[in-house]
Amino acid sequence: MAQKPSHTPVGEHVVPYRAAKLPSEGGSGHDAHQLEEGHVPMPEEIQYDTARVEKIYRKLDFRIIPAFWVLYFLCSAIRSNIGIAQTMNKNVHHDLVSVLGLTPRDLSTALALFYVAYVLFDLPSNLIMSRLSPRAWMARIVFAVGIIGCCFTAVKAPWSVKFLRFLLGFVIAGMWPGMSYYLTLFYPPSRTGKRIGMYFTAAQLSAAVVGLVSAGFQEMDGLRGLTGFQWMFLVYGLLGIVLGIALLFWLPDRPLAPGEKRVRHKYLRWLPTSPEALTGEDALIHYQDLKRVYHSRPWNMKDLWYVLIDWRMWPLVLMYFGVVGVGIGTQLYGSVIIASINPNFSGITVSLLFAPIWMMDFLAILISTPLADRFHKFRWVFFCAGCVIQIVGLIIVTFALSNDWARYGGLLIIGFGLGPTVPNCMAWTNEIFQKRHGEVGVAAASALVSGLGNLGSITTTYALYTGWPEDAKKGPHQYRKSNYTMIGILAVSIASTILLAVLLRIFGSEPSRRYVANSGSSDGEEIIDGAALRERQMRGFGGVLGRKKN
């Protein structure tokens, strides 16, 4: 087992560690499992402060976050553009519904089938990613999403839409939790919320851009015999294919301990290599700061079982259920709701009004997620605040019947409330389950929270709005019962959040004794690295207001 650092409290600015030199720097090149006292000569001492660690994490940001942002932008566009396709060129009956003769039930079934496949295959996909190359698996997901996106151009009947939506859910499964898992290979869990928020903004801007750009695609209606929505499907799909190939050359593989050689899986030797994320002293400091990642052991089915029976997961699932149900409902039916507010709006007007909802979401993410990371022990407060804001927005949309613009303002408020919820739910999952169950805890829990939580998406897409014929009838009270349901599931999310926060105060989230025992550790202790020592305290506003704090 790897050497554990002293449990002496960390000083204000400097965290001393001893780190072996890399082979390229004259080190011995010993295997990572030999980096124990007595196995290698006493290495040179490296001291580093918080500012140096922050610099290294910012370097990783430039390598990882832009790629994640672009891939999530495109995949979100391909996943959600079916929503805006329902209103494109509707005035000439060239919208998706009119061209294919879709009934409200056909549409809600097609939307729900995506999430059925997503729920079924989210966990297997994430577990495969943890076994194989995370870089290659992520590129595979994006490439496959691009192919299915292109296939939507050829849909001719309701059954083909349903079939392709199911396939899309199958190939995209594991992308969102896989990104969260991938981050924990390079960052401490308490610092993943801001990073998740960084690329989660891609979904918001994607929803906005899909709405804005659809106005241009509508102008292409009839070009070369394709409708406007067919051009949209084709262009986004082709971009996804190109990006999937590019990711193989850009994303780094999981980091290696000093002296360890990368051994490629026999089925992946044909893939191109990508540069290491960190080299030299940066790699050594990152190793000392996040040693738990470098010395995680291969998981087995018993480890997976311990994750599945951990009660801490199920409140997180209910938290995610509510907010993702409202988020997906707004994404897929936002344009429909806007059109119902004022039936005189043209398709282009609806598209333009749809975009600001996601700009509000984007703004809330930029404000809330960095604060939530700095006050990570109060993530639950940020999450609940977002849910309350969404409830206020839904109430305005439901009851401000005499003022169309007030109802539209309610949609903007919903968008703002969505911002803090999903990133904080996923970051909280990382914090709890990496500490309790190691790498398999993050891989399995993030997939189950995302997958089972997306049952909320199935509820929204299949049973609410256009999927609820009585509630979809034209009139001032159109979609009122659906809005009530959304308020109800948000209340469940709030109750689950408060319950989990209270139970964690009582029972804690220390490493699972069964997991530690199954690891074969002789002393039954966890690896305490530099990041773990710093996570014992919240950063607060240290370093922002002119005062550094670990």
Side-chain angles (χ1 to χ4, degrees), residues 212-360:
L212 293 172
V213 175
S214 70
F217 284 122
Q218 289 180 74
E219 296 298 324
M220 298 173 65
D221 186 53
L223 182 64
R224 296 187 179 275
L226 298 179
T227 62
F229 71 79
Q230 286 178 310
W231 277 112
M232 180 177 66
F233 290 149
L234 180 62
V235 170
Y236 282 125
L238 290 175
L239 290 174
I241 292 172
V242 173
L243 179 62
I245 297 171
L247 289 175
L248 286 173
F249 296 89
W250 182 257
L251 283 179
D253 262 317
R254 66 170 67 237
L256 296 178
E260 192 173 10
K261 302 294 184 182
R262 190 174 300 283
V263 178
R264 305 184 70 184
H265 194 281
K266 63 181 180 178
Y267 298 119
L268 301 177
R269 290 174 184 168
W270 59 274
L271 293 175
T273 59
S274 66
E276 296 294 336
L278 296 169
T279 57
E281 190 175 79
D282 286 347
L284 290 174
I285 292 176
H286 186 264
Y287 166 74
Q288 296 291 0
D289 201 57
L290 209 59
K291 192 178 293 186
R292 73 192 91 161
V293 170
Y294 289 86
H295 294 293
S296 62
R297 62 174 177 79
W299 56 268
N300 55 42
M301 295 305 295
K302 187 181 291 186
D303 297 327
L304 179 59
W305 173 247
Y306 294 152
V307 177
L308 298 179
I309 62 174
D310 194 325
W311 58 264
R312 293 161 184 82
M313 184 189 305
W314 306 110
L316 290 164
V317 169
L318 290 175
M319 288 167 56
Y320 201 86
F321 177 94
V323 297
V324 80
V326 174
I328 295 300
T330 305
Q331 189 176 63
L332 294 178
Y333 292 118
S335 58
V336 177
I337 295 171
I338 293 171
S340 72
I341 291 175
N342 189 333
N344 295 322
F345 287 153
S346 67
I348 292 178
T349 301
V350 169
S351 297
L352 295 176
L353 290 175
F354 184 64
I357 299 173
W358 306 107
M359 299 305 296
M360 293 294 290

Side-chain angles (χ1 to χ4, degrees), residues 31-46:
D31 182 83
H33 298 290
Q34 294 178 313
L35 294 174
E36 299 180 36
E37 189 173 0
H39 286 242
V40 295
M42 184 61 69
E44 174 187 346
E45 183 176 282
I46 288 184

